[in-house]
């Protein structure tokens, strides 16, 4: 049995709050739009290389940042990449329900990318679809939170439940990334950290290369899957998202009357709901996964601490790696405590 990835492999970042207090869909649309820009820099090989002491790093790892998924299997998981050229959709999850929308007006024309306002319209549509849908749907997101061999078995159970489930899962796995539109509004440091770390388990897909998470109060973060790369590409992506967002206007509907808004929306394909079908075996798998997730969450204590004594600049002045410094500090703390 090999361990789960949600708590022991995946990592998360919490973004700085946007002082303009944007709505959920405004901030989400801006982050998605900027992520598409960053992806295009990778595709066109125009992203400036990372540097260390005036020497460029190999940037090969960045190709795993988008359109990749970890896929559970036996005897081991695999990491699968999907062609950038034919997979320009984003997967959105809200209330445990999954949707996709295309980011190009013309699939064969990369320059026909949706504007931030158009992305915002699509996200508003998805929010309404999810909030108005009171039907019971299988919470397939929770299936990505258990032990990896169990995830593999549950994946087979999901596919056996209905023939369409495999095609729906392929849409999630081939998407550029997952966007989580949470209905919660975390305020304290612990609430925010836990929401970015694991959330409710159902409105996530932890095997995706990364998930952007935007909350009802406009706060945002990211959860990353670790099998194909370290945090260097995702930390640079997040820095790009935060810095560029502050330098640009938020998308909104001001200046558009009802007719203009309708015309703008009518030019966009409606988001596609991924309607997973269930079975008795799948219901049991989801129930068991939910119980396992709850037990694991309750077994972890979290007390976020913000240290302002010094930062990486001072550590580097000692000619030490900040990462190695923190790792050794953790080991020293454990040694002194135990």
């Amino acid at each position: 049995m090999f361990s789960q990835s949600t708590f022991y492999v995946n990592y998360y970042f919490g973004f700085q709050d946007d002082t303009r207090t944007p709505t959920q869909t405004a901030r989400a649309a801006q982050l998605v739009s900027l992520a598409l820009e960053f992806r295009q820099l990778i595709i066109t090989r125009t992203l400036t290389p990372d540097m260390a002491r005036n020497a460029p790093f190999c940037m090969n790892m960045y190709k795993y940042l988008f359109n990749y998924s970890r896929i559970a299997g036996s005897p081991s998981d695999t990491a699968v990449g999907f062609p950038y050229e034919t997979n320009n959709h984003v997967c959105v999850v809200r209330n445990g329900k999954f949707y996709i929308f295309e980011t190009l007006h013309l699939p064969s024309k990369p320059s026909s990318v949706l504007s931030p306002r158009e992305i915002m319209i699509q996200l508003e549509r998805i929010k309404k679809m999810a909030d108005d849908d009171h039907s019971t749907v299988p919470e397939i997101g929770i299936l990505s939170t258990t032990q990896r061999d169990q995830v593999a078995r549950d994946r087979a159970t999901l596919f056996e439940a209905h023939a369409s489930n495999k095609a729906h899962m392929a849409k999630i796995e081939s998407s550029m990334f997952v966007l989580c539109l949470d209905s919660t509004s975390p305020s304290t440091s612990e609430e925010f950290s836990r929401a970015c770390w694991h959330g409710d388990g159902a409105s996530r897909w932890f095997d995706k290369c990364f998930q952007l998470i935007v909350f009802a109060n406009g706060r945002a973060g990211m959860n990353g899957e670790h099998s194909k790369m370290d945090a260097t590409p995702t930390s640079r992506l997040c820095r790009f998202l935060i810095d560029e967002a502050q330098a640009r206007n938020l998308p909104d509907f001001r200046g558009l009357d009802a007719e203009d808004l309708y015309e703008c929306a009518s030019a966009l394909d409606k988001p596609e709901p991924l309607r997973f079908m269930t079975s008795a075996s799948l219901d049991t798998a989801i129930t068991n996964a939910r119980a396992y997730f709850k037990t694991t969450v309750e077994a972890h204590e979290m007390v976020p601490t913000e240290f302002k004594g010094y930062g990486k600049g001072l550590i580097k002045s000692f000619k030490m790696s900040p990462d190695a410094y923190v790792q050794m500090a953790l080991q020293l703390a454990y040694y002194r405590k135990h």
Side-chain angles (χ1 to χ4, degrees), residues 87-151:
N87 294 286
N88 293 288
H89 58 284
V90 172
C91 176
V92 182
V93 56
R94 180 173 174 83
N95 301 339
K97 304 178 181 73
F98 288 76
Y99 304 82
I100 62 165
F101 74 92
E102 294 292 336
T103 62
L104 299 180
H105 286 288
L106 300 172
S108 60
K109 191 175 181 181
S111 61
S112 65
V113 64
L114 270 59
S115 69
R117 178 183 283 175
E118 290 172 324
I119 294 172
M120 186 176 175
I121 289 174
Q122 297 294 62
L123 299 184
E124 287 285 354
R125 282 173 157 176
I126 289 172
K127 275 188 67 174
K128 181 172 175 53
M129 291 167 68
D131 293 347
D132 290 350
D133 182 2
H134 301 295
S135 62
T136 301
V137 297
E139 295 182 335
I140 61 106
I142 201 72
L143 298 178
S144 65
T145 67
T146 59
Q147 299 279 354
R148 297 308 301 174
D149 51 356
Q150 186 61 52
V151 176

Side-chain angles (χ1 to χ4, degrees), residues 7 19 22 39-40 43 79 104 151 165 170-172 194 218 287 303 319-320:
F7 291 91
T19 56
R39 179 175 179 264
Q40 192 61 22
I43 292 173
L104 299 180
V151 176
N165 288 351
K171 288 287 189 179
I172 296 174
R194 281 195 173 276
T287 298
V303 183
K319 299 188 183 302
M320 298 179 66

